[in-house]
Amino acid sequence: MDYKSEMKTLRDILNEAGYRYYVLDDPTMDDYRYDQLLRRLEELEAAHPEEITPDSPTQRVGGTALESFTQVEHSVPLESLQDVFSPEEVEEFAQRMEEALETVRYSVEPKVDGLSVALEYRDGLFVQGATRGDGRTGEDVTENLRTIKSIPMTLPDKLPRLIVRGEVFMPKNVFHKLNRQREDNGEPPFANPRNAAAGSLRQLDPKICAKRLLDIRVFNLQLAEGKTFATHTETICYIASQGFQTIPHKELNTAEELNAEITRLGEKRDEFPFDMDGAVVKVNSLSDRSVIGSTAKCPRWAIAYKYPPERRPSRVLDIVVQVGRTGVLTPKVVVEPVRLAGTTVTNATLHNQDFIDEKDIRVGDTVVLQKAGEIIPEVVEVCKELRPEGARPYRLPDACPVCGAAVVRDEDGAALRCTGAECPAQLHRNLTHFASRDAMDIDGMGPAVMRQLIDKGLVRTPADLYFLTENQLAELERMGKKSARNAVEAIAASKERGLERLLYALGIRQVGQKAGKTLAAQFGSFDALAQATEEELTAIDDVGGITAAYIRKWLDSPQSRHLISRLKEAGVCMDAARQSAGEQFKGMTFVLTGALEKFTRDEAAALIEARGGKASGSVSKKTAYVVAGENAGSKLRKANELGIPVLTEEEFAAMLE
Ligand code: AMP
């Protein structure tokens, strides 16, 4: 087969597999095979870039970020919907329709709480996608929409022009995962999936949008040149036949049936991957729709029924405090299990002390619960008349319920935060921060590795990293012997980062990189800093009173003292001086081979890195020196082949001095 035909075949196979996976939810090809074929296509495209077509699965994430979005005028306006809030209003709507039309058939479907977009195809090819904007003009988000795998890039029918309208959303499971990640990274979580989807679709860099795993449900045919349809059902069937994921709908005849279906959908709403903020009732016949017509903003032939937030009473069994990954204490009520908007609720957030005080919530109280934004249950009010005798006001604890360390109030006064340097609730975040590039810069020890180390009980504090063995690391998933060795070397090398980075790595509140630098320069050693009084700390430029208090509190806590003594035991540099000792090897890569006598490999690597160099496992043209010990083998040969200077152990030791 020539390369052109092979590329076409690969595109067709991969697009079909993608359709089965993302639209039909019925995968027919395993991920491994898919990736193999995709790689083959990428290779061919790299060799023949002139043959890359816009429908290639490789083109879903465009190359460069945009400066801004351009405006797009919608050929068919994206109308809004008239809201109704009660079964009676649904009946009134049906009455209006029945008065104007002889017989009416309706369709009822979930209202997806996302962002409306129009997708335009020319001759069967996806050419443009735009947000709703004000309904007449929106923003061109084509590149971001390409990243949504359930949007087909080509259609089987090559109509000159076809426009469909759908609702882009972030699946609920993706939303929860994203928010956990954001919390780990210290970023504010999104309030709900809708905000998360909106934030993602408005990213100027499609690569970021691609990571957000957005999805779409198409609910309307805006325009199909050369085609005619009689009903909504026909248009939706046609849209589905073209490879889109559509919103399921039901055809019904009477107001009574409409209300029953609305209730049924409301009870099912947890089962959908998207948030549902209502049910949409539409007249099904397209000619009937034109008889009824539209107002300036909304069609008169459709309504959106908005479900009232369901409210239920339940009894408060307990008030417990959770410690989040950033150390924030969040109080929650534990309530007698109660069904609420389709799920069983057993607890609800109380936000903070102010919220508890304002509502005066006590253990034993009967409270009214509702789901805010349909997701998170919250307390609306307390039924004071049902309060049992002796119920006492609740106060949040002064010590962290997980680790017992002191709790401080945030600068802005709202949140309470645990100060424990070894608090298990914050361990993952603390470890990831500790190892991060600007802190101790431990290569290969990212969030996934840290998670495994915690789960296996191998690491309880950042200091434990320094006591890990190669064998322990090699047993982790996706690690292997070689990366375990590299990790041990990287951990050992990080001992020499110096006080400035260490102070930042410890995660003391308000001590960022800048304060780390200032404090290291001022005190020169950790021990000198540990002696400083709050007044002395406050007197330093760039260290305010609040920061000084946080630092002093941190230094005084038994957990911090334990952490520091273990770091010292591990041999972590606690001085400012050693850190600046070397720019000597800056930009130089060393390869160690054979058996060294004076140092272990880890020590030698640490010494190189402390001087700004890098220790690598393989010889290349970029290697500066190979240090060859006893019985050096293939690396030494390679060095000689490439003409890389080779040092004996003695020469290397002399260089260090
Ligand atoms: P609103 O934004 O409250 O005026 O509600 C109207 C919006 O609901 C429309 O602009 C659509 O974006 C959205 N929507 C979600 N699901 C549907 C659906 N099944 N049918 C029509 N509109 C829908």
Side-chain angles (χ1 to χ4, degrees), residues 35 50 90 98 126 149 156 161 196 255 424 435 451 454 458 609 652:
D35 293 343
E50 72 289 351
V90 175
E98 280 152 32
F126 177 58
K149 302 278 181 42
R161 216 165 158 221
R451 173 56 60 210
I454 296 171
L458 293 173
E609 296 194 10
F652 173 62

Side-chain angles (χ1 to χ4, degrees), residues 231-252:
T231 62
H232 180 58
T233 308
E234 278 180 19
T235 60
I236 295 296
C237 289
Y238 179 71
I239 293 171
S241 79
Q242 296 303 297
F244 295 94
Q245 275 250 32
T246 52
I247 295 182
H249 71 279
K250 223 177 193 168
E251 277 192 42
L252 297 166

Side-chain angles (χ1 to χ4, degrees), residues 517-543:
K517 201 174 190 130
T518 311
L519 292 166
Q522 186 78 22
F523 292 99
S525 75
F526 189 88
D527 291 338
L529 168 69
Q531 306 285 324
T533 62
E534 203 171 312
E535 291 70 41
E536 284 166 341
L537 289 166
T538 312
I540 301 169
D541 274 352
D542 300 337
V543 180

Side-chain angles (χ1 to χ4, degrees), residues 202-254:
R202 297 209 68 256
Q203 290 289 334
L204 290 168
D205 184 352
K207 289 198 183 65
I208 301 180
C209 184
K211 289 202 187 116
R212 300 287 174 79
L213 304 177
L214 300 177
D215 202 348
I216 190 168
R217 292 293 178 273
V218 173
F219 60 83
N220 201 48
L221 181 66
Q222 303 285 94
L223 184 133
E225 255 175 38
K227 281 255 165 203
T228 46
F229 300 95
T231 62
H232 180 58
T233 308
E234 278 180 19
T235 60
I236 295 296
C237 289
Y238 179 71
I239 293 171
S241 79
Q242 296 303 297
F244 295 94
Q245 275 250 32
T246 52
I247 295 182
H249 71 279
K250 223 177 193 168
E251 277 192 42
L252 297 166
N253 293 319
T254 64

